[in-house]
Amino acid sequence: MSLIALLFVAQAATAFMPSTPAATSPVTAEVPARITRLLQRYPVIDGHNDLAWEIRDRHDGKVEQVDLMRDTSALPYPLQTDIPRLRRGGVGGQFWSVWIPATTTGPRAVEMTLEQIDIVRRVAAANPDAFALVTTAAEARAAQKAGRIASMIGIEGGHQIDGRLSVLRQMKELGVGYMTLTHGKSLSWADSSTDAPRANGLTDFGRSVVAEMNRIGMIVDVSHVSDATMAAVLDIAKAPVIASHSGARAVADVPRNIPDNLLARIGQAGGVVMVNVYPAFVSEEWRAWDRKRSDFGKAQGLATDVYGPKAPAPLVAWDAANPMPHVTAANVADHVEHIARVAGKGAVGIGGDYDGIGGTAPADMTGVDGYPRLFAELARRGWTDAELGALAQGNVLRVMERVEAVAASQKAMKPVDATATD
């Protein structure tokens, strides 16, 4: 599954990881030298990666069983992330998602989130030459300067704080940099884009969550939330928001993607939409194909979240008779460019969602080493080095700095003692 660039490794490894052996791939070997140099100077800070859950789900949380110094695409259950591919992909910063299922609620949700944070910390500790845990923009820059991948943490769903601002504050103390307000299910205080509304935007407690996140310097993430909730957040947030892994609804009409009016508001408020590579969010054609595939699989009583040769045999046969639509970096670039047109080039970033998308990905971006293909496509479309550098990391670093500044300005304010009521 991996995409490996001989030219990119030969040059980018000098800046990131000199001991990484070179390898070849006919796909990414075409990456221009300009992009190699660009990503050396402005390595990607990616907004979302679900490796921690894959380690938990496939390896029972045993970090020592997953050697990230090796190509993990060859594992019995392949991963999309490892250190050599992060290096080849020009990744210099990563928000690691500590996702848990939206169906897990109450105290167990808090406990499981702590377990996920522990996995991220153990991964970093097991690979100290590659990863540096950081919580600020300045620390991220320092880690990159030292040749390490700045590692940050994001909670992917407000259910993970169990309706308690005290838990939110303690998550911040543990190094959590952002929280996605909802995941796939609506909460009593905020609505999901893929569930029936319960809050009709934000309740009083939901507004308290946003205010407290601004006060303590935690980034508000509006991926997954409903349009009404996103608008309500933008009405009250004192600091810029991010959408850590989203796309443009005008390009692919998917509830999880963001409509133009809200894209414009995010840009006007200084926020950043970090573009996702999941084909179901990138391409309407792929999403329609996947819906048919899922309908077939469910009718047979099969799990449909595995793709390729490891899928159940009837699905493998169905896939052969119904070829998967071709999605590439060019399709991802369409989302980047649309967001840039609507919200401004200062309002777009990268949030791939690798290892959270069932092993699917654009054909030329199958793992975290695929980002040079996206930057090469945008360069072909006329993006300047300065614009590409902002896309890679400058825009999200600016948001981080602004969130830190807003928190500093509220340092004298006392914590709010509030809990949600169902």
Side-chain angles (χ1 to χ4, degrees):
M1 288 175 58
S2 65
L3 298 174
I4 305 170
L6 175 59
L7 179 59
F8 192 80
V9 171
Q11 295 178 321
T14 303
F16 292 120
M17 187 175 151
S19 61
T20 302
T24 59
S25 165
V27 176
T28 57
E30 300 173 3
V31 171
R34 171 191 168 190
I35 300 304
T36 301
R37 292 192 298 269
L38 174 87
L39 293 179
Q40 288 176 350
R41 185 176 180 186
Y42 305 110
V44 171
I45 296 180
D46 180 277
H48 199 90
N49 184 297
D50 281 295
L51 177 65
W53 183 262
E54 288 295 279
I55 291 174
R56 180 192 187 98
D57 191 41
R58 300 297 188 184
H59 299 276
D60 197 29
K62 294 180 172 61
V63 171
E64 64 277 3
Q65 290 185 0
V66 183
D67 184 358
L68 293 178
M69 291 299 295
R70 297 182 181 275
D71 180 2
T72 61
S73 68
L75 292 173
Y77 289 97
L79 297 174
Q80 294 175 307
T81 307
D82 52 55
I83 291 165
R85 282 187 286 172
L86 285 165
R87 302 294 193 182
R88 290 195 292 272
V91 177
Q94 181 66 67
F95 278 95
W96 302 103
S97 171
V98 292
W99 178 83
I100 68 169
T103 51
T104 302
T105 58
R108 179 55 183 151
V110 178
E111 182 181 60
M112 192 179 289
T113 301
L114 294 175
E115 293 166 355
Q116 292 298 97
I117 291 172
D118 183 64
I119 288 174
V120 171
R121 290 185 168 278
R122 285 160 54 207
V123 166
N127 300 279
D129 292 337
F131 299 128
L133 286 169
V134 306
T135 59
T136 69
E139 289 173 353
R141 288 190 173 97
Q144 291 180 1
K145 189 174 181 180
R148 299 164 78 191
I149 298 167
S151 295
M152 297 155 283
I153 298 171
I155 287 175
E156 194 179 3
H159 62 293
Q160 295 180 242
I161 63 169
D162 189 26
R164 290 168 170 78
L165 295 185
S166 57
V167 174
L168 176 74
R169 289 189 287 270
Q170 292 310 303
M171 294 300 180
K172 173 63 176 176
E173 290 295 317
L174 291 173
V176 172
Y178 73 66
M179 183 172 75
T180 320
L181 296 186
T182 70
H183 190 252
K185 289 188 174 294
S186 294
L187 308 177
S188 65
W189 52 271
D191 298 323
S192 170
S193 63
T194 51
D195 195 12
R198 297 176 61 190
N200 296 310
L202 289 173
T203 64
D204 287 344
F205 179 76
R207 287 186 284 273
S208 294
V209 170
V210 173
E212 191 68 350
M213 291 176 73
N214 287 170
R215 189 189 72 82
I216 65 177
M218 187 184 289
I219 302 169
V220 177
D221 177 19
V222 295
S223 284
H224 283 289
V225 305
S226 71
D227 294 355
T229 293
M230 195 178 302
V233 170
L234 292 167
D235 285 342
I236 64 169
K238 295 181 179 179
V241 305
I242 64 168
S244 67
H245 56 304
S246 291
R249 196 177 297 171
V251 178
D253 190 5
V254 177
R256 267 276 284 109
N257 287 341
I258 302 175
D260 283 2
N261 64 317
L262 292 173
L263 288 176
R265 289 193 63 188
I266 290 172
Q268 290 161 6
V272 174
V273 178
M274 308 181 82
V275 175
N276 184 291
V277 304
Y278 183 25
F281 301 155
V282 171
S283 164
E284 290 184 21
E285 183 184 7
W286 196 97
R287 185 177 179 85
W289 170 87
D290 192 49
R291 190 178 298 113
K292 292 178 181 178
R293 183 182 188 272
S294 294
D295 290 345
F296 170 81
K298 289 175 182 176
Q300 306 296 315
L302 304 172
T304 60
D305 59 347
V306 178
Y307 297 81
K310 294 187 180 299
L315 279 176
V316 173
W318 190 92
D319 292 348
N322 302 272
M324 180 187 296
H326 194 56
V327 177
T328 70
N331 299 101
V332 181
D334 291 342
H335 284 265
V336 173
E337 290 217 289
H338 183 85
I339 294 166
R341 282 193 297 270
V342 173
K345 287 186 175 177
V348 65
I350 303 297
D353 203 12
Y354 283 111
D355 282 310
I357 51 179
T360 64
D364 51 354
M365 296 180 67
T366 59
V368 294
D369 55 343
Y371 290 128
R373 297 301 306 160
L374 173 60
F375 281 80
E377 173 63 20
L378 291 167
R380 188 187 67 79
R381 298 184 186 194
W383 283 52
T384 68
D385 283 5
E387 291 166 344
L388 292 171
L391 169 69
Q393 63 165 252
N395 294 337
V396 69
L397 285 171
R398 186 198 69 245
V399 169
M400 292 173 68
E401 288 169 339
R402 183 59 188 154
V403 169
E404 293 164 22
V406 168
S409 73
Q410 301 182 81
K411 193 172 183 179
M413 292 178 60
K414 295 185 181 299
V416 175
D417 186 14
T419 57
T421 55
D422 287 322

